[in-house]
């Protein structure tokens, strides 16, 4: 494969896909990669709960693991659906090649860590991390928690970026070739990707800021991707 072909291939993959593909000797089908991810994460969660008697956090932790792994499955489905379509190079470059989803995920993660470790403990009452990990949380449990939370935040950043780029391309290329049912299906998948994150809301219901952030993010994706569906539908009728 030439350098140009490698560059083109890199602009057609999510960062998550690129990392998985880069693991030496690993060539798993999508479903197997998702199953392995869930097994590793959930296995580590249960092992930590058993080792440090942290069973109070297992249900919330499992919900986060489900969101992360189901998010991986939806990301793979979304990426494959887009790559099967005839799309402008600018669209693929923005969506996959820009790595903006990583930046958005990082911003979400830094905001969440600031909330959990600085803002929440100053509000009185029992902080969320104390409820889940105890007052003297074991270091391995904190490490694993942050790893899973980063994975969730990365999915949030990806859903938002896919939604924004989907709307941009619907407006920029508002002709019949970009207004077909297959493109609207991509927008619907993006909405489903965001809605998945609502699974976490019951576990942070005592944290109004986190509830607002999650629901607000999902609502924004629904509105933007819904607008893209509307534009595509309208373009297809003229």
């Amino acid at each position: 494969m030439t350098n140009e072909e490698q560059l083109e291939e890199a602009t057609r993959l999510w960062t998550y896909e690129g990392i998985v593909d880069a693991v030496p000797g690993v060539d798993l089908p999508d479903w197997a990669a998702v199953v392995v991810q869930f097994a590793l994460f959930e296995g580590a969660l249960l092992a930590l709960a058993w080792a440090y008697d942290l069973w109070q956090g297992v249900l919330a932790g499992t919900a986060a693991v489900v969101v992360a792994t189901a998010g991986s499955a939806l990301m793979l489905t979304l990426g494959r659906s887009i790559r099967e379509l005839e799309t402008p190079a600018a669209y693929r470059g923005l969506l996959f090649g820009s790595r903006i989803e990583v930046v958005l995920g990082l911003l979400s993660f830094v905001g969440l860590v600031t909330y959990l470790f600085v803002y929440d403990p100053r509000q009185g009452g029992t902080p969320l991390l104390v409820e889940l990990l105890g007052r003297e949380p074991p270091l391995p449990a904190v490490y694993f928690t942050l790893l899973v939370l980063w994975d969730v935040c990365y999915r949030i950043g990806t859903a938002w970026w896919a939604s924004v780029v989907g709307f941009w391309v619907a407006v920029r290329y508002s002709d019949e070739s970009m207004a077909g049912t297959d493109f609207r299906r991509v927008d619907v998948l993006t909405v489903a990707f965001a809605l998945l994150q609502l699974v976490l809301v019951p576990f942070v219901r005592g944290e109004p800021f986190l509830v607002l952030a999650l629901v607000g993010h999902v609502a924004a994706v629904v509105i933007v991707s819904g607008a893209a569906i509307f534009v595509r539908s309208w373009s297809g009728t003229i």
Side-chain angles (χ1 to χ4, degrees):
M1 183 180 291
T2 65
N3 291 336
E4 291 77 9
E5 290 173 334
Q6 290 177 340
L7 181 60
E8 171 65 16
E9 182 66 20
T11 63
R12 295 171 67 90
L13 295 174
W14 300 112
T15 300
Y16 162 74
E17 294 176 287
I19 292 173
V20 172
D21 288 348
V23 178
V26 176
D27 185 18
L28 297 175
D30 291 351
W31 68 266
V34 172
V35 169
V36 168
Q37 180 183 354
F38 178 81
L40 289 176
F41 275 23
E42 188 67 11
L45 173 68
L46 294 176
L48 289 167
W50 176 80
Y52 297 106
D53 193 24
L54 296 175
W55 297 106
Q56 72 276 11
V58 166
L59 196 56
T62 297
V65 169
V66 167
V67 169
T69 52
S72 294
L74 279 171
M75 277 186 71
L76 293 170
T77 302
L78 184 60
R80 184 169 55 251
S81 298
I82 293 170
R83 288 190 291 270
E84 289 174 352
L85 299 173
E86 290 295 329
T87 57
Y91 175 42
R92 296 193 304 273
L94 271 179
L95 187 62
F96 298 116
S98 67
R99 310 307 187 199
I100 296 298
E101 87 277 8
V102 178
V103 176
L104 294 174
L106 180 61
L107 292 174
S108 300
F109 180 69
V110 170
L112 178 60
V113 168
T114 303
Y115 176 86
L116 292 175
F117 288 95
V118 180
Y119 180 83
D120 195 24
R122 296 177 180 178
Q123 302 311 301
T126 304
L128 180 60
L129 280 182
V130 173
E131 292 181 5
L132 298 176
L133 301 179
R135 295 201 172 274
E136 296 184 2
L139 292 181
V142 174
Y143 180 92
F144 177 74
T145 298
L146 292 177
L147 177 63
V148 174
L149 289 178
W150 157 249
D151 208 329
V152 171
C153 287
Y154 173 64
R155 313 300 166 182
I156 288 174
T158 302
W160 177 238
W161 186 235
S163 177
V164 170
V165 176
F167 177 75
W168 172 79
V169 78
V171 174
R172 174 65 178 79
Y173 300 94
S174 56
D175 53 37
E176 190 171 348
S177 66
M178 295 292 290
T181 302
D182 289 337
F183 286 96
R184 292 197 291 272
R185 187 177 296 117
V186 167
D187 295 321
V188 171
L189 273 173
T190 303
V191 170
F193 188 26
L195 289 173
L196 171 67
Q197 291 139 21
L198 291 178
V199 170
L200 299 173
V201 170
F203 301 98
V204 295
R205 61 185 181 275
E207 308 288 335
F209 182 85
L210 294 183
V211 172
L212 179 63
L214 277 170
V215 173
H217 157 69
V218 172
V221 171
V222 170
I223 291 171
V224 173
S225 291
I229 293 171
F230 173 79
V231 170
R232 295 187 201 281
S233 299
W234 179 78
S235 298
T237 62
I238 58 175

